[in-house]
Amino acid sequence: MTIPVIRPWLGEEEAQAAAEAVRSGWVAQGPRVAEFEKAFAEQAGAAEGVAVSSCTTALHLALHLLGVGPGDEVVVPSFSFIATANAARYVGATPVFADVDPVTGNLTPDTIEAVLTPKTVAVIGVHQGGVPFDVDALDAVCSKHSLALVHDSACAAGSTYRGKPVSASASLAAWSFHPRKLLTTGEGGMLTTSDSDRAARLRRLREHGMSVSAADRHASSGVKLESYDEVGFNFRMTDIQAAIGLVQLAKLPSVIARRRELAERYHKLLAEIDGLRWVGDPDYGTTNYQSFWVVLPDSYPGTVVDVLEGLLARGVSARRGIMAAHLEPAYSGVDLPVTEHLTARSVILPLFHQMTEAEQDTVVTALAEIVR
Ligand SMILES: *Cc1c(COP(=O)(O)O)cnc(C)c1O
């Protein structure tokens, strides 16, 4: 029995909700999506939520909405899942990689300013692994240079910034409901925004640019013809997914409480390993611990792969730390020393709602045996 790195917390309630959506006869985007959008936006401290098929399509749509296109540069961290950089490519723009802070793994005003050019139009800030970036600091640097700031909040449902939901002040934030995140709908995503005109346009764009949604036409008593005023996409979420999302959303506070409890216990247990560093709260906010990563001691001569193999041999499934997109063949190399160090030396340890203290002890004992 291997201890997994994450296990979605899904149960009978989600199964029931999905079955009810099927039985209702309305499985495409409809009333459950609308209900999920409202509930998610409220939890996120945003005025509006627009559900889409994934965080990847949410980021794509956000840049499209902002009019980012060929010739433009978008600053992104390389230290992120590759979808962050790909979003810039989808609209024909160029992602420009900035380095990150060694403690939070996030962009800072200095790392952003180091890569700005006259072509820069936007920044995608990532709350990496659930650790909030310094929102006020990034807002300030973006407004100083007249850049749009999009939050990639894929990992950050339930994280906080200065006592509020992490992206409550964002003009556009993109969220993921992939099973690797804390709240899952199988696949799925959301854009939150404080601007209702933007939300209305996003709702049209995700549905082929239709002026009247299929759900609204269906609900109408008279004949309603739609028009297509601009080219849109099919980035819709289904009502089956939204039904599951509503159940998952109600569980989010207890998921985060349990993760934070287990993370604090990790902090105490891992203190025994000399030279090991681990992720925690920055002084301006709290993480939901979507990823519990550690940075290996400098004294440990082995590689991350040695550690992953050693852990697997001891019944623990861990993962390499956050990837560096600029080191992948899809993107060309630049020099990002902090990103390269973090990627080369960090490991994500198992953390999930149902994890027992005994399982956690096994993880720490195994890691200590390997790196000591
Ligand atoms: C998971 C993830 C994404 C992609 O989310 P999908 O919903 O799978 O498209 C984007 N950005 C970051 C930072 C992620 O962790």
Side-chain angles (χ1 to χ4, degrees):
M1 275 282 284
T2 302
I3 301 170
V5 70
I6 197 165
R7 182 181 290 153
W9 187 30
L10 291 163
E12 200 44 44
E13 256 190 290
E14 284 86 348
Q16 279 288 336
E20 275 163 32
V22 172
R23 286 192 201 105
S24 78
W26 189 276
V27 290
Q29 175 187 289
R32 287 174 179 82
V33 167
E35 196 186 333
F36 183 45
E37 288 176 333
K38 222 168 155 246
F40 188 85
E42 195 176 319
Q43 168 278 142
E48 300 264 6
V50 179
V52 288
S53 52
S54 69
C55 183
T56 304
T57 55
L59 289 168
H60 180 174
L61 208 53
L63 294 182
H64 180 86
L65 179 89
L66 293 169
V68 178
D72 293 335
E73 291 181 357
V74 180
V75 175
V76 299
S78 166
F79 189 65
S80 182
F81 185 58
I82 199 160
T84 311
N86 287 349
R89 283 282 180 88
Y90 298 152
V91 295
T94 304
V96 173
F97 295 117
D99 216 346
V100 292
D101 177 80
V103 176
T104 62
N106 287 327
L107 295 182
T108 69
D110 287 347
T111 66
I112 292 170
E113 282 190 325
V115 298
L116 294 181
T117 77
K119 293 179 177 171
T120 315
V121 297
V123 174
I124 303 180
V126 179
H127 302 291
Q128 192 49 259
V131 179
F133 60 71
D134 189 341
V135 177
D136 291 345
L138 261 60
D139 275 339
V141 75
C142 287
S143 67
K144 177 174 155 198
H145 299 283
S146 306
L147 308 172
L149 176 63
V150 175
H151 290 220
D152 181 339
S153 308
C155 305
S159 295
T160 66
Y161 180 74
R162 299 200 186 282
K164 297 215 175 91
V166 67
S167 296
S169 69
S171 66
L172 283 167
W175 308 82
S176 173
F177 308 127
H178 183 273
R180 183 68 184 78
K181 324 295 179 182
L182 298 198
L183 183 172
T184 187
T185 59
E187 293 279 358
M190 183 85 70
L191 277 161
T192 53
T193 175
S194 48
D195 182 328
S196 55
D197 290 341
R198 273 188 168 174
R201 184 161 170 235
L202 288 168
R203 289 201 175 93
R204 292 191 296 272
L205 282 169
R206 67 149 175 219
E207 194 172 14
H208 307 286
M210 273 182 215
S211 61
V212 184
S213 77
D216 285 350
R217 251 181 301 135
H218 184 79
S220 157
S221 53
V223 175
K224 256 191 177 178
L225 295 183
E226 77 284 12
S227 65
Y228 300 83
D229 302 330
E230 62 179 320
V231 175
F233 304 85
N234 180 359
F235 286 167
R236 285 175 296 214
M237 175 184 274
T238 69
D239 255 28
I240 306 172
Q241 290 169 301
I244 296 170
L246 281 162
V247 178
Q248 287 267 295
L249 186 61
K251 288 178 167 181
L252 187 63
S254 56
V255 168
I256 290 167
R258 177 63 180 155
R259 293 184 78 81
R260 288 187 58 81
E261 183 182 24
L262 287 165
E264 271 170 38
R265 192 161 179 274
Y266 258 144
H267 291 169
K268 290 200 189 91
L269 297 172
L270 293 170
E272 292 170 27
I273 305 176
D274 277 349
L276 191 80
R277 250 185 352 97
W278 50 80
V279 64
D281 290 333
D283 55 14
Y284 50 72
T286 60
T287 171
N288 60 9
Y289 287 105
Q290 184 267 342
S291 283
F292 189 91
W293 46 272
V294 298
V295 184
L296 302 174
D298 291 337
S299 59
Y300 173 66
T303 65
V304 159
V305 175
D306 295 331
V307 173
L308 295 179
E309 283 173 356
L311 287 171
L312 207 51
R314 290 166 177 81
V316 176
S317 175
R319 290 288 180 274
R320 68 168 172 164
I322 312 299
M323 66 179 294
H326 77 287
L327 299 178
E328 295 298 322
Y331 289 99
S332 62
V334 283
D335 206 19
L336 300 170
V338 177
T339 296
E340 284 160 31
H341 177 76
L342 286 176
T343 291
R345 299 296 291 173
S346 62
V347 172
I348 296 171
L349 299 181
L351 183 61
F352 47 92
H353 188 80
Q354 314 87 320
M355 191 176 197
T356 64
E357 293 194 351
E359 286 174 321
Q360 208 176 16
D361 294 342
T362 302
V363 174
V364 175
T365 305
L367 184 65
E369 274 173 24
I370 297 162
V371 304
R372 252 189 208 134

